[in-house]
Amino acid sequence: MKHLKNIFILLFAVSVAFAQNKEAEEIKQESNRFTYKANKALQENSFSDAEAEYRKAISKDSENATAKYNLGNAYYNNESYTEAFNRYKQASEVALTKAEKHSAYHNMGNIFMKNKEYEKAVAAYKNALRNNPTDDETRYNLALAKDMLEKNPPKDDQDKEDKDKKDQKEEDENKKDQDDKKDNKDKNEDEGDKEKDKGGKDDKDKDGEGDKEKEKNKKDNKNDKENADQKDDKKQQQQPKPNQLSPQQIKSLLQAMNNAEKKTQDKLNEKKGKVIKVKAEKDW
């Protein structure tokens, strides 16, 4: 009984898998029919019909790489590069063969070139060559993308380079400012030291001059005092002492006595020549 149960389970699993595979196969077939209709509409230059049929194919089978790739080509020829890129990218993700991957990456590189995104174009062409190293067209496009990338570096890289240059310039300017400040500081300190030394010297000179001035004043005061003392002595010598006549007074007095004596003598001589009458007087 146990073996019969296991056999039943196995048969059920096989039947379910067969049914799923049959359903999946039917889905793929229907998706391929939509793809065929889309390709025919595209050949007839009916872009809108082709786009609608490709969308039906992709909606029916999300792994239909052909429908996604062909729809990408339709968008590319219609210059709808963003939509084309998205479909090529989807095709590269579900592609089962290297040939399909190669074509998807190659066309993605072409869109990057259209948008002047040369760095991304180089990466896309490299991925294409990994899946088909012998494709000369992809190899040529890769060389062209590299050349354009060298001539037109990415904006981010250019901005980074400009920023690095700006930062380096600011760093150099800051360093220069710091050096200038340091030089000015050292210069000011040197001048301050010189001024201090000069000030000390000036103060010392001033102190010396002050001492000389004091000594001179002291000497002048001494001389003035000595001169004053000499003047006082001389004055005292010239001034007569109390109850003592000065030479000039003695001379004047003698002169006066001589004059008085002369007058008296002159009177006596005058009396000898005349008789003078006088009244009798009492003797003492």
Side-chain angles (χ1 to χ4, degrees):
M1 294 293 292
K2 184 176 181 181
H3 291 292
L4 291 175
K5 183 179 180 180
N6 290 337
I7 292 173
F8 177 77
I9 294 174
L10 180 61
L11 291 174
F12 178 77
V14 171
S15 62
V16 170
F18 178 79
Q20 289 177 343
N21 289 337
K22 185 179 179 180
E23 184 181 0
E25 186 64 27
E26 291 177 353
I27 291 174
K28 286 184 179 297
Q29 289 178 1
E30 188 175 1
S31 178
N32 289 337
R33 284 196 294 270
F34 287 129
T35 303
Y36 176 78
K37 290 181 180 180
N39 292 341
K40 188 177 180 180
L42 197 61
Q43 290 175 356
E44 295 174 355
N45 296 322
S46 179
F47 172 79
S48 59
D49 291 341
E51 180 184 19
E53 294 300 323
Y54 282 132
R55 286 182 177 276
K56 290 178 182 179
I58 295 169
S59 177
K60 195 66 178 178
D61 181 11
S62 61
E63 295 183 357
N64 189 336
T66 302
K68 292 179 177 181
Y69 178 81
N70 288 354
L71 179 56
N73 286 341
Y75 283 134
Y76 186 91
N77 293 328
N78 202 43
E79 298 182 353
S80 299
Y81 299 119
T82 301
E83 290 83 353
F85 176 83
N86 291 333
R87 293 303 177 178
Y88 288 140
K89 188 174 184 296
Q90 291 174 2
S92 69
E93 293 170 350
V94 298
L96 298 177
T97 66
K98 286 189 174 183
E100 291 175 343
K101 289 181 178 295
H102 165 263
S103 297
Y105 282 122
H106 179 95
N107 288 356
M108 289 167 66
N110 290 347
I111 293 176
F112 284 132
M113 289 292 287
K114 289 279 188 182
N115 294 333
K116 298 181 180 181
E117 298 177 276
Y118 304 117
E119 187 176 20
K120 293 180 179 180
V122 169
Y125 289 134
K126 285 182 177 180
N127 285 330
L129 287 174
R130 290 188 183 99
N131 290 278
N132 185 6
T134 62
D135 190 285
D136 292 335
E137 185 179 355
T138 303
R139 194 179 301 281
Y140 172 82
N141 287 359
L142 176 60
L144 180 61
K146 286 182 176 180
D147 182 64
M148 296 301 294
L149 176 61
E150 184 177 353
K151 294 178 180 179
N152 303 276
K155 189 175 185 300
D156 292 341
D157 293 345
Q158 187 66 38
D159 291 343
K160 185 176 182 300
E161 184 178 353
D162 294 340
K163 186 176 183 300
D164 291 340
K165 289 182 179 179
K166 183 178 179 181
D167 293 341
Q168 184 64 39
K169 183 178 179 181
E170 290 178 354
E171 183 178 353
D172 294 340
E173 290 178 352
N174 291 334
K175 184 177 180 182
K176 184 179 179 181
D177 292 339
Q178 291 177 358
D179 293 339
D180 292 341
K181 289 180 180 179
K182 184 178 180 182
D183 292 341
N184 291 333
K185 182 179 179 182
D186 294 340
K187 184 178 179 180
N188 291 334
E189 288 179 353
D190 292 340
E191 291 179 353
D193 293 338
K194 290 180 179 179
E195 189 66 25
K196 184 177 180 181
D197 294 340
K198 182 179 179 182
K201 185 177 179 181
D202 292 341
D203 292 340
K204 186 176 180 180
D205 294 340
K206 289 180 180 179
D207 291 340
E209 291 177 357
D211 293 339
K212 291 180 180 179
E213 186 67 24
K214 289 180 180 179
E215 186 67 25
K216 184 175 181 297
N217 292 336
K218 185 177 179 180
K219 186 175 181 180
D220 291 341
N221 291 335
K222 183 178 179 181
N223 292 333
D224 292 341
K225 185 177 180 181
E226 291 179 352
N227 292 333
D229 293 341
Q230 290 178 358
K231 288 181 179 179
D232 291 339
D233 293 339
K234 186 175 181 181
K235 186 176 180 180
Q236 290 177 359
Q237 291 176 359
Q238 291 178 352
Q239 290 180 352
K241 294 181 180 181
N243 302 322
Q244 182 177 1
L245 297 175
S246 65
Q248 185 63 31
Q249 289 176 331
I250 294 172
K251 183 178 180 181
S252 299
L253 182 60
L254 290 175
Q255 184 68 33
M257 291 177 64
N258 290 331
N259 292 335
E261 184 178 356
K262 183 178 179 182
K263 289 180 179 182
T264 304
Q265 188 66 36
D266 291 337
K267 288 180 178 181
L268 291 175
N269 292 332
E270 184 179 355
K271 287 179 178 181
K272 287 180 180 181
K274 293 180 179 181
V275 177
I276 300 173
K277 294 179 179 178
V278 296
K279 290 180 180 182
E281 292 181 355
K282 291 181 186 180
D283 299 330
W284 292 18

